[in-house]
């Protein structure tokens, strides 16, 4: 029932999103190359974007309450129900015109592999929140918005000035459900982009490419948390789809024709840029692509308006309140505000520490230009140039794999083509090797051709066994990962506490403080547990509540400073305790109040002025 209830809630939201998105798409000329699955996924993605804009508008005016959220979902559901019959008729008509080519052996194997990869992803969202960043600021911010019904600057969070478009969905989920429901909205972004990659593969390549590309992206995604990287990836991919529909519809058409797809692309990029700063890196590439075909002022006006609608608030607010529209990453250009130069250096150093190569599954992207699909499909080439641009910018800027996530869907699609090239080369090499062996055999036998047939049959059998072995390994990995995900699902409060105590350092003491604290709490080195602590809770490595501002004080001075700011307790892991307990007079001003699972709560004792 636990899983059924969450999937039912997700289904209602998806249907409502489709209702809004379908209503918008219905006002536009159909894409030149029709595909019911791709258009349905785009409709849901656009509906998600419209929900984000609606939630943002409500929160700006302090009206983002549960009643408004439910009303928006119900209205979308009704709109979807009204449009469903006509869409089903249109879908049947489109399918009637599609050639029903039989599935090949390799395509069936690839589809089985895709299903095996999908199995753990279906269970992963059911786990409670345990990921570092979702506990440090994604869910705490969403909870604040859900409780207050408005947008605010919460300086106790590490990134109080970031754009938080996709997090507004999590806030809505927390209004109507538990903190597992945001995982499903993150998973929805991944699932929609998987469907898009699959349908794009069929449209512009073949079924094999579609299955491999979808499986790669499905395997790379993380469906067990409430981060926003897959949400950004969804809207970047949706922008690319809309851009290609605009390109195929013929640039230069009037506003009621293909140019509206340009507006949709700009809107999707705006949603992405209003969710994470990294989405801004795609603007130069998109602008170059568009300006090659469209230079009319009215078209660019449409682009700017559609782009700014979802993201203007965040950047304008930051510019007005801090002077830095990209706060804090624009500090060296616009000036430092809450972050000091040392904070900036520390953040860059942290990114560099985590720099590494992305998953090896996408390395084959560089072999895609050797495929016949590259030569005959302009869409494949356009996606390839997008991938090259993304990788170059990523290498130059961060080399942090998660910052490449927005490009992963198209990287996976092009990597699928690259893998086919590599396997094709390997097969050709094997054929040449078997051919060389044949020449050493009896000339009479070779003349009959029997050895060629035997060799072909043995090669085919060997290939079959290799595929069976690969599927068996994949099945074992899938079952193992699914079992791990199932073990994380916590239906009862007792099971949830056990999972959180095991996977979230400091959870036990944070939970204790949440229930008992009567004043402000300062935490040290337990950022990954603040979602489960008092709301709010202060302390971080960066920003106005940085540890270094308190770290060099004696016990008495520290107690006076914290007490003067309204703090009543300090919580920290045992590993950090020696650093603080070694201070002069520490025991005179701090007393252990609670200790469990390797963390402690110190009560701040009255200090003489």
């Amino acid at each position: 029932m636990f899983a059924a209830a969450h999937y039912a809630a997700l289904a209602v939201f998806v249907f409502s999103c489709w209702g809004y998105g379908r209503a918008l798409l219905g006002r536009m000329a159909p894409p030149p190359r029709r595909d019911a699955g791709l258009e349905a996924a785009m409709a849901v993605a656009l509906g998600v974007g419209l929900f984000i804009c609606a939630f943002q508008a409500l929160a700006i005016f302090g009206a983002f309450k549960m009643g408004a959220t439910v009303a928006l979902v119900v209205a979308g559901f009704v709109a979807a129900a009204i449009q469903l019959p006509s869409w089903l008729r249109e879908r049947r008509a489109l399918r009637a015109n599609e050639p029903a080519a039989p599935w090949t052996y390799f395509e069936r194997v690839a589809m089985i592999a895709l299903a095996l990869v999908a199995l753990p992803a279906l269970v992963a969202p059911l786990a409670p929140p345990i990921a570092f960043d979702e506990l440090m600021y994604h869910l705490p911010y969403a909870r604040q918005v859900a409780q207050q019904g408005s947008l605010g600057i919460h300086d106790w969070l590490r990134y109080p000035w970031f754009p938080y478009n996709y997090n507004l969905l999590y806030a809505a989920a927390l209004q109507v459900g538990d903190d597992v429901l945001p995982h499903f909205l993150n998973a929805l972004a991944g699932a929609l982009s998987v469907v898009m990659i699959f349908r794009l593969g069929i449209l512009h390549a073949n079924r094999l490419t579609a299955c491999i590309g979808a499986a790669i992206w499905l395997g790379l995604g993380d469906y067990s948390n409430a981060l926003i990287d897959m949400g950004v990836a969804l809207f970047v991919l949706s922008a690319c789809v809309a851009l290609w529909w605009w390109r195929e519809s013929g640039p230069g058409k009037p506003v009621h024709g293909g140019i509206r797809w340009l507006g949709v692309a700009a809107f999707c990029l705006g949603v992405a840029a209003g969710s994470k700063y990294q989405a801004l890196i795609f603007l130069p590439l998109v602008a170059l692509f568009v300006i090659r075909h469209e230079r009319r002022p009215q078209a660019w006006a449409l682009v700017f308006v559609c782009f700014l609608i979802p993201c203007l608030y965040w950047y304008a607010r930051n510019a007005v309140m801090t002077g830095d529209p990209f706060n804090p990453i624009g500090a060296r250009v616009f000036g430092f505000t809450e972050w000091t130069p040392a904070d900036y250096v520390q953040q860059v150093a942290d990114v560099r520490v985590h720099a590494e190569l992305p998953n090896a599954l996408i390395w084959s992207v560089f072999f895609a230009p050797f495929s016949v699909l590259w030569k005959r499909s302009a869409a494949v080439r356009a996606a390839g140039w997008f991938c090259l641009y993304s990788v170059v910018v990523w290498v130059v800027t961060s080399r942090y794999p998660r910052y490449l996530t927005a490009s992963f869907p198209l990287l996976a699609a092009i990597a699928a083509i690259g893998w086919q090239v590599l396997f094709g080369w390997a097969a050709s090499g094997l054929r040449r090797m078997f051919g060389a062996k044949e020449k050493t055999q009896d000339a009479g036998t070779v003349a009959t051709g029997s050895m060629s047939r035997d060799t072909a049959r043995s090669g085919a059998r060997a290939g079959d066994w290799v595929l069976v072995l690969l599927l068996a390994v994949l099945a074992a990995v899938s079952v193992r990962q699914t079992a791990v995900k199932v073990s994380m699902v916590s239906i009862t409060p007792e099971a949830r506490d056990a999972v959180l105590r095991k996977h979230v350092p400091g959870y036990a003491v944070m939970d204790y403080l949440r229930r008992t604290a009567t004043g402000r709490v300062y935490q040290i080195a337990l950022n990954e547990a603040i979602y489960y602590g008092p709301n709010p809770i202060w302390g971080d490595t960066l920003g106005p509540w940085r540890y270094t501002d308190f770290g060099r004080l004696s016990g008495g001075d520290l107690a006076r400073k914290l007490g003067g700011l309204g703090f009543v307790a300090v919580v920290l892991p045992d590993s950090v305790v020696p650093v603080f307990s070694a201070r002069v007079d520490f025991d005179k001003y701090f007393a252990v109040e609670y200790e469990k699972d390797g963390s402690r709560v110190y009560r701040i004792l009255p200090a003489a002025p």
Side-chain angles (χ1 to χ4, degrees):
M1 287 301 296
F2 181 77
H6 285 83
Y7 270 106
L10 178 65
V12 169
F13 180 69
V14 169
F15 193 56
S16 183
C17 288
W18 180 83
Y20 286 123
R22 173 70 181 174
L24 178 62
L25 292 181
R27 299 180 60 84
M28 307 173 65
R33 198 179 308 201
R34 304 297 305 274
D35 183 273
L38 182 58
E39 292 174 33
M42 277 290 290
V44 176
L46 286 175
V48 172
L50 293 173
F51 263 109
I52 287 173
C53 291
F55 292 156
Q56 184 189 116
L58 288 170
I60 289 172
F61 295 102
F64 187 22
K65 305 294 184 180
M66 187 176 72
T69 299
V70 172
L72 284 172
V73 173
V74 170
F77 195 93
V78 172
I82 293 172
Q83 298 173 89
L84 184 60
S86 62
W87 179 78
L88 289 174
R89 289 192 297 270
E90 181 181 339
R91 181 171 175 267
R92 284 194 294 268
L94 288 175
R95 284 198 165 186
N97 297 325
E98 291 179 358
W103 285 66
T104 67
Y105 173 73
F106 291 107
E107 290 170 351
R108 293 179 185 276
V109 170
M111 180 55 76
I112 294 173
L114 176 59
L116 290 173
V117 175
L119 187 59
L122 292 173
V123 181
L126 292 165
I130 61 172
F132 188 99
D133 282 3
E134 72 170 329
L135 299 181
M136 183 172 62
Y137 62 96
H138 287 297
L139 286 180
Y141 179 86
R143 181 174 58 188
Q144 283 291 98
V145 175
Q147 291 175 351
Q148 298 176 0
S150 61
L151 300 178
I153 307 301
H154 310 296
D155 65 355
W156 52 277
L157 293 173
R158 175 168 293 187
Y159 306 113
W161 298 98
F162 267 25
Y164 280 108
N165 265 351
Y166 210 82
N167 297 80
L168 297 179
L169 296 175
Y170 302 156
L174 292 176
Q175 288 178 341
V176 300
D178 56 20
D179 57 13
V180 172
L181 198 54
H183 290 179
F184 283 80
L185 297 177
N186 172 63
L188 172 62
L192 286 174
S193 50
V194 166
V195 172
M196 290 183 184
I197 289 301
F198 182 81
R199 298 310 307 176
L200 287 170
I202 291 177
L203 274 175
H204 299 286
N206 51 53
R207 286 176 182 158
L208 188 59
T209 301
C211 291
I212 296 174
I216 291 175
W217 169 227
L218 186 61
L220 293 177
D222 190 346
Y223 297 82
S224 60
N225 58 52
L227 305 185
I228 47 89
D229 301 276
M230 291 206 302
V232 175
L234 168 65
F235 284 101
V236 170
L237 177 61
S238 299
C240 291
V241 172
L243 271 177
W244 195 251
W245 282 348
W246 165 75
R247 181 70 184 89
E248 287 190 328
S249 65
K253 287 188 177 182
V255 174
H256 64 273
I259 289 182
R260 286 191 178 179
W261 289 120
L262 198 56
V264 170
F267 173 79
C268 292
L269 281 177
V271 175
S275 300
K276 194 163 188 173
Y277 287 138
Q278 278 76 16
L280 295 171
I281 67 172
F282 301 108
L283 297 186
L285 178 66
V286 171
L288 180 63
F289 179 79
V290 173
I291 205 168
R292 289 180 57 200
H293 307 286
E294 181 60 78
R295 297 181 178 86
R296 291 181 301 163
Q298 61 266 37
W300 279 91
L302 176 68
V303 168
F304 282 122
V305 169
C306 291
F307 174 78
L308 291 175
I309 286 173
C311 68
L312 176 63
Y313 168 80
W314 308 107
Y315 294 94
R317 178 203 64 182
N318 292 358
V320 170
M321 297 182 70
T322 71
D324 179 7
F326 313 104
N327 192 318
I329 65 172
R332 289 188 173 177
V333 176
F334 299 97
F336 294 89
T337 52
E338 293 183 344
W339 278 27
T340 64
D343 290 338
Y344 187 87
V345 171
Q346 183 177 347
Q347 176 72 359
V348 172
D350 182 66
V351 170
R352 288 176 177 169
V353 166
H354 290 89
E356 60 181 350
L357 290 173
N359 193 291
L361 287 173
I362 65 171
W363 292 1
S364 63
V365 70
F366 297 106
F367 296 97
F370 298 99
S371 170
V372 294
L373 294 172
W374 181 279
K375 297 177 176 63
R376 78 182 185 205
S377 173
V380 169
R381 291 194 298 274
W385 286 112
F386 171 90
C387 294
L388 177 62
Y389 172 86
S390 301
V391 171
V392 169
V393 171
W394 173 78
V395 169
V396 171
T397 55
S398 70
R399 299 187 301 281
Y400 180 26
R402 208 171 79 190
Y403 288 173
L404 193 59
T405 303
S407 303
F408 272 174
L410 284 178
L411 281 168
I414 302 303
I417 296 174
W419 282 116
Q420 291 177 77
V421 171
L422 288 174
F423 282 118
W425 288 349
S428 297
L430 289 175
R431 283 195 296 268
R432 285 195 299 270
M433 182 178 67
F434 281 123
K437 289 182 179 180
E438 286 180 23
K439 293 179 181 179
T440 64
Q441 303 301 318
D442 182 73
T445 305
V446 173
T448 64
S450 59
M451 179 59 70
S452 296
R453 289 191 297 272
D454 291 343
T455 303
R457 282 195 294 270
S458 62
R461 286 194 296 269
D464 290 344
W465 280 110
V466 169
L467 288 177
V468 169
L469 179 61
L470 288 175
L471 282 180
V473 171
L474 183 58
V477 172
S478 177
V479 170
R480 181 176 179 276
Q481 289 186 350
T482 303
V484 171
K485 304 296 183 185
V486 169
S487 69
M488 298 289 292
V489 179
S490 308
I491 299 177
T492 65
E494 294 77 15
R496 177 183 168 94
D497 282 347
V499 168
L500 294 177
R501 287 181 61 187
K502 179 179 179 181
H503 295 278
V504 181
Y507 165 75
V509 292
M510 286 291 185
D511 182 61
Y512 166 79
L513 285 167
R514 180 184 57 82
R515 292 181 280 106
T516 62
T518 57
R520 283 186 167 192
V521 176
Y522 190 84
Q523 65 83 21
I524 300 171
L526 288 174
N527 306 74
E528 66 267 43
I530 67 171
Y531 172 71
Y532 294 110
N535 184 34
I537 185 170
W538 287 261
D540 206 332
T541 57
L542 310 168
W545 300 99
R546 63 184 65 84
Y547 305 139
T548 53
D549 291 348
F550 301 85
R552 296 180 178 87
L553 302 175
S554 66
D557 290 341
L558 180 61
R560 278 186 287 272
K561 183 171 183 177
L562 289 173
L565 294 170
F567 290 100
V568 298
V570 176
V571 56
L572 65 165
D574 289 350
S575 59
V576 181
V577 167
V579 178
F580 282 81
S581 61
R583 298 164 190 261
V584 176
D585 295 335
F586 181 83
D587 293 337
K588 183 178 178 181
Y589 298 101
F590 295 87
V592 176
E593 178 181 339
Y594 185 77
E595 182 177 359
K596 194 169 186 177
D597 293 347
S599 297
R600 301 183 189 182
V601 176
Y602 281 90
R603 185 173 70 259
I604 302 175
L605 304 177

